[in-house]
Amino acid sequence: METVEEVAKKIKVPVKILSDYLIKVAGVGELAIEVSEGEYTLSEIIDTILRRIPKLKPLSESKDLGKQPFIAVNGEVSYDKNHVFKLGKSSRITIFSVGAGG
Amino acid sequence: MRGMAVYSVHGRILHIDLSSRKIWVEKYGSDLLREYIGSRGIQARLYWDTVKPEVRPFSPENVVFIGAGTFTATPMPSAGRTTVTFKSPATGRYFKASVGGDFGIKLKLNGYDIIAIRGASEEPVYIYIEDDHVDILPAKDLWGLDVRTAHAKLVRKYGIHIDTLLIGPAGERLVKYASINTSVYNVAARGGGGAVLGYKKLKGIVLSKGSRSVVLYDPRRYLELSMKVVKNIMNDEALVGTAKFGTASGTMGLDRTNTLPNYNFRKPYWEHAYKNSGEYYVEAGYLVGRVGCGQCIVSCHRHTRTSKYGGVDTVGPEYETSNALGGNIGNADTDALIKMNDLANIYGLDTISLGGVIAWVMESYEKGYLREVKDELGTEPVWGNIEAAMKLIDKIVRRDGIGDLLAEGLAVACRRVDDETCKWAVQARGLEHSRVETRIARAYALAFALNPRGPDHLHTETFAEFGFTEDSKKLIERITGHREWAGVGKNEGRPEIVAWHEEMYAVTDSVGFCAFITTAGFAVDEFLMSELFEAATGIPMNAEELVRAGERIITLERMIQVREGRTRKDDNLPWRITHEKVRTRDGKEYVITEEELNEMLDKYFELRGWDKKTGVPLPNKLKELNLEFTIPIAQKVLGT
């Protein structure tokens, strides 16, 4: 009898960078990350994105708020790297920098 | 007429008396322009001369001045702003509000810099202006219409080239925070100017396209400098973001720094803040396009659309609205936010005050007050209940039931319900607090305590305090000598930061520039602005003199309010801000104590040359600023 392992479905999550400044640094405005459907911490999501866009790494480690990328997953932003997000078929990730509106 | 011939303006004030139906033009010369720079400054002087302290806001003697900036209707980007000056029914004192759109441009194209609306009509009227032809016409068929419908009706009558300044049903019913709208969606929102026009039975003003133009003193130099401004705007990182994501691009920076007030100033951050942000409006597809005021190349307004709530196609929401009707009332439903913003636009309501009032109802209900409102609304006014919020808006505009009380604003409403509820009526001096957490952003706190309008941002937008960009850090260093004083939660250097911004803002308003390019973005500093002023008007003006003119305007506005009874005791903040701690995301607690505020005020008064005990400008300072005519009032209050 064969053993059937349950393999989580692979999905492509679209990542869109909104801010011109970050697009310039990253050298790309849109991409997709391939992950297995499931739950991920913000930290894991950031690591996955940075593997694809290593040029953003210095900014993500910056203490300067004006330079730090903000990451929205499924329309929600968290600053807690342990915050857990579900990534599924309709997920989307948006990256932007702090604005100056008021 | 004072002084020589003028350039860049017409030197013409159009007076319209709605009681006597008399219309006349008053001319002014370069002296007034040199001293007061333009619209806001000149109107403060006209207000001093015209609106005596005993004049009631709802009386024929209250004069509404509507003036275009000195650079408005010239080839200068982001310089199309108009200032409206009046005695406020919300605060009972001098008030001014700035508005964008095209109205100021068309005003100057019709040959006038300022309109002064005097008296009051017995029947609804509107004013039609086509160069020298000025008519007061019946407005029975416009009265009762919302702003968008009234504008459309006037466009059908006069053609697409007109522009309008209109009030909505809120102004007609004297709601104390009724706005004045230009070009439909641009709003002189605060202080209840719409109610003053409503009292005067003036539905609005229609401007034809006009056939006049202003003459520049040195057009070649002015154009060269204008191109420099264009270049600076294009290279300003803050303004690039504002262009792309609108003013609501401020939401997430404030959320991150714990300065985004949610749930009626009880929580300075919010898990759902992103739903109230300019970036989300883009990401989620609400944004149809960017909308700019006349002369503006930033175009920070948003054309938005949703198919929900009956379908909405509108302009906005701006940052303040996004928070006031968003996190402030626990609303993460962006479709509902767009709908409520549109209702406020067309009814003619100030969204900051509106959000403050709704949040107060929700908190009062939570604490056991206003329990009867549930039956009146048919739903509980609890946090995030959109149905309740929308019903409250409708009731306020119609002054129906609880709406009649809420139309009076927080200062009145809380006292009528129970003094205890005034602790969470987040207002001071009759005006609801703008959308920034002043317990943590301390330059804003000092600025709000001093602002002649009330606790509000559009007099002293000290955005550089956050230090989000390199430019803002440089500015804080230039003002205070300390780069490290950029950032929130700090008291150091705040009096200097506030004073610089007040002066810069006063001249910014007066020339008609948008504050976004001078005090939020940094495309134009005082050095460039003084060069522009000289090229435009031919009046010699260096940066130091320009800043001094800003100080003159600030000091005159203070003296106007001193004459209206203001003293240092009025330099305050809402009870909640000075008595209740707010807890940040990482557990730090902040309150701005009265001692801290007093310490900052002392330093500010010392810097300004004002009396520390009373907050009244000292006679020698008034003389130094050519404000001798105000000295008798100062001496009376000072007892000297």
Side-chain angles (χ1 to χ4, degrees), chain A residues 18 20 64 66 79 92 94, chain B residues 244 247 255 271 283 468 473:
Chain A
L18 293 180
D20 291 347
D64 191 339
Y79 313 107
R92 63 186 193 277
T94 308
Chain B
K244 201 163 181 184
T247 57
D255 181 58
E271 295 74 11
E283 182 203 306
F468 286 144
K473 286 175 197 155

Side-chain angles (χ1 to χ4, degrees), chain B residues 539-557:
Chain B
I539 297 170
M541 180 79 64
N542 62 33
E544 194 185 331
E545 289 164 334
L546 185 80
V547 169
R548 178 54 61 100
E551 185 185 3
R552 180 177 302 117
I553 296 166
I554 291 294
T555 307
L556 174 57
E557 289 176 330

Side-chain angles (χ1 to χ4, degrees), chain B residues 130-143:
Chain B
E130 188 174 340
D131 295 335
D132 290 333
H133 177 90
V134 180
D135 266 341
I136 302 170
L137 299 163
K140 272 184 188 164
D141 58 339
L142 297 171
W143 204 252

Side-chain angles (χ1 to χ4, degrees), chain B residues 314-580:
Chain B
T314 191
V315 174
E318 304 294 337
Y319 161 73
E320 295 285 329
T321 308
S322 297
N323 179 254
L325 297 172
N328 183 43
I329 60 169
N331 172 28
D333 178 344
T334 307
D335 300 278
L337 175 60
I338 289 171
K339 175 68 179 179
M340 287 191 282
N341 170 66
D342 188 56
L343 291 176
N345 275 341
I346 64 171
Y347 291 158
L349 282 167
D350 167 20
T351 53
I352 300 173
S353 292
L354 179 65
V357 165
I358 294 174
W360 172 78
V361 171
M362 289 177 170
E363 186 166 346
S364 297
Y365 186 82
E366 181 187 80
K367 290 179 168 159
Y369 299 90
L370 295 172
R371 300 304 289 184
E372 67 284 4
V373 174
K374 179 189 170 188
D375 291 337
E376 195 178 329
L377 300 179
T379 182
E380 286 191 293
V382 294
W383 302 109
N385 184 345
I386 303 309
E387 186 192 349
M390 288 198 194
K391 283 183 172 171
L392 284 170
I393 294 172
D394 183 63
K395 282 184 168 289
I396 289 166
V397 171
R398 291 190 293 110
R399 276 189 174 269
D400 173 45
I402 182 72
D404 192 42
L405 174 72
L406 301 179
E408 293 299 308
L410 284 180
V412 173
C414 77
R415 285 198 300 271
R416 287 198 193 153
V417 170
D418 190 307
D419 280 350
E420 184 65 15
T421 70
C422 291
K423 290 181 176 173
W424 56 90
V426 188
Q427 63 80 33
R429 304 188 292 287
L431 195 79
E432 290 72 20
H433 192 293
S434 284
R435 309 311 309 169
V436 59
E437 178 47 76
T438 44
R439 280 166 287 198
I440 300 174
R442 299 299 179 90
Y444 278 90
L446 177 61
F448 282 23
L450 289 159
N451 189 337
R453 288 156 56 107
D456 166 83
H457 62 300
L458 289 179
H459 178 76
T460 329
E461 179 81 85
T462 52
F463 201 74
E465 169 175 34
F466 289 102
F468 286 144
T469 63
E470 182 58 26
D471 286 342
S472 57
K473 286 175 197 155
K474 278 184 189 163
L475 177 62
I476 295 300
E477 185 173 14
R478 181 155 76 86
I479 296 169
T480 67
H482 295 269
R483 184 183 167 88
E484 71 277 12
W485 287 356
V488 295
K490 300 172 184 180
N491 292 349
E492 295 91 345
R494 268 49 196 166
E496 291 85 354
I497 294 169
V498 169
W500 185 91
H501 280 82
E502 283 180 333
E503 286 153 12
M504 195 63 180
Y505 218 105
V507 290
T508 295
D509 280 344
S510 300
V511 299
F513 264 141
C514 173
F516 268 114
I517 67 163
T518 62
T519 64
F522 306 104
V524 179
D525 60 16
E526 61 269 46
F527 300 96
L528 180 51
M529 206 193 299
S530 63
E531 282 189 84
L532 286 165
F533 188 81
E534 196 168 311
T537 65
I539 297 170
M541 180 79 64
N542 62 33
E544 194 185 331
E545 289 164 334
L546 185 80
V547 169
R548 178 54 61 100
E551 185 185 3
R552 180 177 302 117
I553 296 166
I554 291 294
T555 307
L556 174 57
E557 289 176 330
R558 180 74 176 190
M559 280 309 301
I560 292 171
Q561 293 212 330
V562 165
R563 191 173 68 166
E564 291 173 342
R566 181 167 181 162
T567 65
R568 178 169 172 155
K569 71 175 167 33
D570 297 309
D571 299 325
N572 55 18
L573 291 164
W575 189 92
R576 170 157 281 174
I577 303 298
T578 52
H579 290 81
E580 282 185 8

